[in-house]
Amino acid sequence: EKRNWSCDRVLPCGHNCIGLRGHDCIPCLSPKCLPKNADLTDEEFCNICWVDPLRAAPCVKLGCKHYFHFLCLWQKIDRKWPAARITFGFLNCPLCKQQIHHPALEPVTKQYYDLYAEIEKDAIERVKIEGLQHDKKLTDPNSPYHNNLSKYAMDRLAFYPCSKCKKPYFGGMKACEEAGLEQAENYKQEHLVCGSCASGPNAKSCARHGKKYITYKCKFCCQVSSWYCWGSTHFCDSCHKRQEQGDYLNRKPLSELPQCPGPDKCPLGVDHPPNGAAEYSLGCVVCL
């Protein structure tokens, strides 16, 4: 496979190009052609696999100027996010965290950059629905979110891939402002179901927005759900983690579950059944 991707050109210096077939040659990285104090040579290990030196496989030079084995980059991207929550760290250069861009990688990166754009649009819209666009962090010059609603939305809101319709859906606020804190990797994909698919084909839909913003509360607390288990029960991230760790909320009496402080103080802002008593649809959250 490496041979199929390897450039077959010889550089003016006489060394073989270690780039990709069909793409522009990359500069010679042989120690014989570089100053003794050069920052990088083709004898350095690839910073993804850490197994072979750069010259052992066809390489690419990213837009950020860093070099990696082409196939190592492809596999890194193809593995996508590591757990249930959709994150996009896999699209970043391992060395500088800038986005990965190279023409040869577009067949694998395009779908994920398109997904990023879709979630970014939905996240900004959801921030406004939740009334978070007035957070002081957005106007604080010392905040990383200063005048950056997009970064704020992507860092604060969690999205998951629906196992039925395959579309991303909002699953509540992230527990930590630092993106990347994930659920365990052994999650069950079939438990990730958006509100639209969980509501069923015969459920009522919003005349204006259809089923896109149909959302359920967690059955066991006053938070928006992100997990739909056993085809019957909605969990938020926190309650789902407790259930997975053996703290079986579905077996507890209602008196031992978090108590709603009432519609005036409830984080959801609605009058709902006691936590643990029944499933409850919040309806179209845009029109609430």
Side-chain angles (χ1 to χ4, degrees), residues 81-288:
W81 52 89
R85 183 183 300 148
I86 299 174
T87 58
F88 293 97
F90 67 97
L91 289 174
N92 295 338
C93 169
L95 293 176
C96 67
K97 307 307 179 185
Q98 293 186 44
Q99 287 186 337
I100 292 172
H101 288 289
H102 190 277
L105 293 167
E106 286 184 3
V108 69
T109 58
K110 184 180 184 304
Q111 60 181 315
Y112 296 121
Y113 283 125
D114 288 347
L115 177 64
Y116 183 95
E118 179 182 356
I119 290 180
E120 180 182 40
K121 179 181 177 182
D122 287 349
I124 291 174
E125 190 171 358
R126 192 75 191 213
V127 161
K128 295 176 181 178
I129 291 172
E130 301 290 332
L132 299 173
Q133 73 273 27
H134 304 300
D135 193 319
K136 293 180 180 179
K137 294 183 179 68
L138 292 166
T139 56
D140 181 0
N142 297 317
S143 168
Y145 304 118
H146 182 236
N147 290 335
N148 195 338
L149 185 60
S150 172
K151 176 177 174 58
Y152 177 88
M154 294 296 284
D155 280 0
R156 298 296 300 276
L157 276 60
F159 285 81
Y160 300 81
C162 177
S163 61
K164 293 188 176 181
C165 68
K166 310 304 180 184
K167 296 180 180 179
Y169 68 93
F170 173 65
M173 306 299 293
K174 289 184 180 178
C176 177
E177 290 185 6
E178 180 181 358
L181 298 182
E182 297 298 322
Q183 292 278 344
E185 293 185 15
N186 59 348
Y187 68 96
K188 295 181 179 179
Q189 180 68 30
E190 63 269 22
H191 288 176
L192 297 174
V193 183
C194 68
S196 174
C197 292
S199 64
N202 300 319
K204 294 181 179 179
S205 62
C206 173
R208 182 179 177 184
H209 302 103
K211 292 185 177 181
K212 180 177 181 179
Y213 295 106
I214 298 297
T215 305
Y216 281 76
K217 73 174 285 292
C218 173
K219 184 176 181 180
F220 305 101
C221 74
C222 302
Q223 299 295 331
V224 174
S225 70
S226 49
W227 301 81
Y228 185 56
C229 301
W230 317 311
S232 62
T233 308
H234 286 88
F235 289 86
C236 68
D237 248 1
S238 177
C239 289
H240 185 265
K241 186 174 183 179
R242 290 177 62 182
Q243 184 79 16
E244 290 281 294
Q245 293 177 342
D247 186 11
Y248 298 115
L249 299 176
N250 60 320
R251 300 179 185 176
K252 293 181 180 292
L254 300 188
S255 59
E256 292 185 16
L257 295 173
Q259 300 299 303
C260 179
D264 293 336
K265 296 182 179 179
C266 177
L268 297 172
V270 297
D271 186 10
H272 58 78
N275 291 327
E279 289 286 299
Y280 185 78
S281 171
L282 299 172
C284 176
V285 295
V286 179
C287 298
L288 286 176

